Amino acid sequence: MSAGDATPEPAVDVHSTSCCIVGGGPGGMVLALLLARRGIPVTLLEARENFDREFRGDTLHPAILEIMDQVGLAAPLHELPHVKWFGPSLVTSNGLVPLIDFRRLRTKFPYIMLVAQELFLQLLAKEAARYPHFRLVMRARVQQLIEEHGTVLGVRYRDAGTNGWHEVRAPLTIGADGRFSRVRQLAGIEPVVLSDPMELFWFRLPRLAGDDHELAAMDSVLRGKPIAVMNGEDGKAVAFIHRGDGFVLLVVNRVDHWQVAYLYAAGTYQEKKEAGLAAFRSSIERLEPRLAPHLASLTDWRQLAPLSVAFSRCRKWYKPGLLLIGDAAHVMTPAAGAGIKYAIEDAVEAANVLSAQLLEGLVPEHALALVQEKREWPTRVIQGIAGFQQGAVLSRALRRGQPPSTPANLPIIARMLLRVPVLRDLPARMIAFGLTRVRLEDTNSVMRLGAKDAGAGEAASSDRTA
């Protein structure tokens, strides 16, 4: 048992499995699905009662859409309400200049898909529920690790309904519970902070009559003088970006509402709150007057979610019997949903490396080290690039005393470089796929296992907590 728990309260029940995953976000859910499809018993513990989260990432990169296609979920995923983002364009005095265009990439999915994370997780959970090896427990708040002689053998959690103790014992425990990971804390693994925090308000505005033209049609958006737009389908803007006096405003089309990010200089939260909500609304209205009727819905500070995100990375992602993935191991930039991409890719590599050992019931420490070895450098590179951009670009945009955003004058050398295919398309490839494409290995055998086990799994959900 974890330190300080020499005489723990007896558990109501003890469940044994091959892999216990803590955290039902994209990384944890994808890993659970992949293991269950391979015939590996897996228990997924989620602290909340459902997958409905406010202000969670909801962007799926081409690399992730390719992985979903490998497991046969790309088609049902595209049936969910979504929008497509083909890349950002800079607004210049000479018109739109595409900075990144995913449509030039060789992929079946040349775009970033924006889909509500709740719906994405529900789709994954429904698919995983088809397999008898998958067990999902909601409202399971992990509070202790089960350890013997320095090896993690599982977890103890409290059920939010009964408040009793439960145990899950497994040869491998996965911490996929986000940047405030409880599992990481219990394991005594400390992340190293790599950047100053990026601070922002994240909130919703309602869609109103006429928004499809006034706030989505490209010609109308450009009259609002943003500094950049995100290109969508049918000549519409998926999002537009403005620079104000000391803040940057990002407005994203989310089908049934507008998602807004208001980035501001670190350390000025209290100052903005003391100025009042009316002053906050006015700062946006002066920048984008067309949002004035939408902003009337903001009547309480509690409608704004203040977020502070700093890049961090653990030096070691594992200890005997335990592996961290996703934000629990490395907090990525919130820009363009990088956290989801790298969490799911961690899950895929973990499934690739660890499946054989899990089927045998023993996971050696060197196999856990191999997962980190495969995933550490891709995260290091992206964190480094994002840190440079934050310091060199965003910090300047957040300086006070600047005039509102106006069309840029792109230097001629930059225009020339954007015409060189290999240089022009490199940023798109890095965002879409990272350093290398991550693929699910041995897909054919996984599909055969899935076909064999799915029928038996239809009625195997009676052990799951609603």
Side-chain angles (χ1 to χ4, degrees), residues 86-88 98-105 110 231 424-425 428:
F86 295 102
L99 297 179
I100 294 171
D101 192 343
F102 297 119
R103 287 169 291 195
R104 291 194 287 256
L105 299 178
N231 306 308
R424 177 196 64 193
D425 296 337

Side-chain angles (χ1 to χ4, degrees), residues 193-199 266 308-311 390-391:
V193 178
L194 304 171
S195 71
D196 293 330
M198 180 186 297
E199 297 192 3
S308 180
V309 182
F311 310 150
Q390 181 174 329

Side-chain angles (χ1 to χ4, degrees), residues 241-287:
I241 304 172
H242 287 276
R243 188 192 72 237
D245 185 5
F247 70 95
V248 171
L249 187 72
L250 169 65
V251 182
V252 182
N253 180 3
R254 291 308 319 277
V255 183
D256 60 346
H257 67 276
W258 297 97
Q259 194 74 56
V260 183
Y262 183 107
L263 288 78
Y264 55 91
T268 61
Y269 167 78
Q270 197 59 39
E271 175 186 337
K272 292 185 179 300
K273 191 169 182 180
E274 289 175 357
L277 197 57
F280 177 78
R281 288 195 302 261
S282 295
S283 69
I284 299 175
E285 291 174 15
R286 287 193 298 269
L287 196 62

Side-chain angles (χ1 to χ4, degrees), residues 107-411:
T107 175
K108 186 177 178 180
F109 308 100
Y111 46 81
I112 288 179
M113 172 187 278
L114 282 78
V115 60
Q117 189 176 125
E118 176 189 6
L119 299 180
F120 178 51
L121 294 177
Q122 287 174 352
L123 175 66
L124 294 173
K126 182 180 179 180
E127 176 66 15
R130 299 174 60 230
Y131 302 94
H133 311 291
F134 174 74
R135 175 175 178 257
L136 172 63
V137 184
M138 308 297 288
R139 300 186 300 177
R141 300 183 180 278
V142 171
Q143 297 186 18
Q144 296 174 351
L145 296 181
I146 302 172
E147 295 186 73
E148 293 180 9
H149 309 296
T151 298
V152 176
L153 301 177
V155 301
R156 282 167 58 91
Y157 69 90
R158 284 190 181 275
D159 184 295
T162 65
N163 205 36
W165 284 100
H166 305 260
E167 288 187 6
V168 177
R169 291 181 172 264
L172 178 63
T173 297
I174 301 287
D177 50 340
R179 60 193 177 107
F180 301 114
S181 173
R182 176 65 169 162
V183 171
R184 183 184 65 214
Q185 178 185 1
L186 292 171
I189 300 175
E190 292 291 335
V192 177
V193 178
L194 304 171
S195 71
D196 293 330
M198 180 186 297
E199 297 192 3
L200 65 146
F201 293 114
W202 195 241
F203 58 97
R204 293 184 176 190
L205 292 178
R207 290 186 68 88
L208 302 178
D211 278 358
D212 278 340
H213 175 70
E214 289 301 321
L215 292 178
M218 194 66 76
D219 60 343
S220 180
V221 168
L222 295 180
R223 286 198 299 271
K225 298 180 180 179
I227 58 174
V229 298
M230 308 299 181
N231 306 308
E233 295 179 286
D234 304 323
K236 292 186 177 181
V238 176
F240 49 96
I241 304 172
H242 287 276
R243 188 192 72 237
D245 185 5
F247 70 95
V248 171
L249 187 72
L250 169 65
V251 182
V252 182
N253 180 3
R254 291 308 319 277
V255 183
D256 60 346
H257 67 276
W258 297 97
Q259 194 74 56
V260 183
Y262 183 107
L263 288 78
Y264 55 91
T268 61
Y269 167 78
Q270 197 59 39
E271 175 186 337
K272 292 185 179 300
K273 191 169 182 180
E274 289 175 357
L277 197 57
F280 177 78
R281 288 195 302 261
S282 295
S283 69
I284 299 175
E285 291 174 15
R286 287 193 298 269
L287 196 62
E288 180 50 271
R290 294 174 300 174
L291 289 177
H294 305 75
L295 289 164
S297 65
L298 283 183
T299 59
D300 194 306
W301 275 107
R302 287 174 292 186
Q303 294 173 258
L304 308 178
L307 303 179
S308 180
V309 182
F311 310 150
S312 66
R313 182 175 58 249
C314 297
R315 291 191 176 93
K316 193 173 180 181
W317 301 7
Y318 62 92
K319 61 187 297 184
L322 173 69
L323 174 68
L324 303 176
I325 65 172
D327 278 358
H330 48 75
V331 177
M332 307 299 290
T333 171
I340 295 176
K341 176 184 183 293
Y342 285 84
I344 291 178
E345 289 178 337
D346 287 357
V348 171
E349 286 290 22
N352 290 340
V353 172
L354 303 176
S355 290
Q357 288 86 354
L358 286 168
L359 284 169
E360 295 176 358
L362 181 64
V363 182
E365 192 171 357
H366 68 77
L368 304 179
L370 181 58
V371 176
Q372 178 175 346
E373 180 183 332
K374 285 176 171 289
R375 295 298 303 148
E376 185 170 16
W377 274 107
T379 60
R380 279 177 175 265
V381 170
I382 296 303
Q383 284 180 326
I385 293 173
F388 172 79
Q389 291 175 335
Q390 181 174 329
V393 180
L394 184 59
S395 60
R396 291 183 181 181
L398 297 179
R399 291 175 184 170
R400 291 185 174 177
Q402 299 184 98
S405 54
T406 55
N409 290 313
L410 199 63

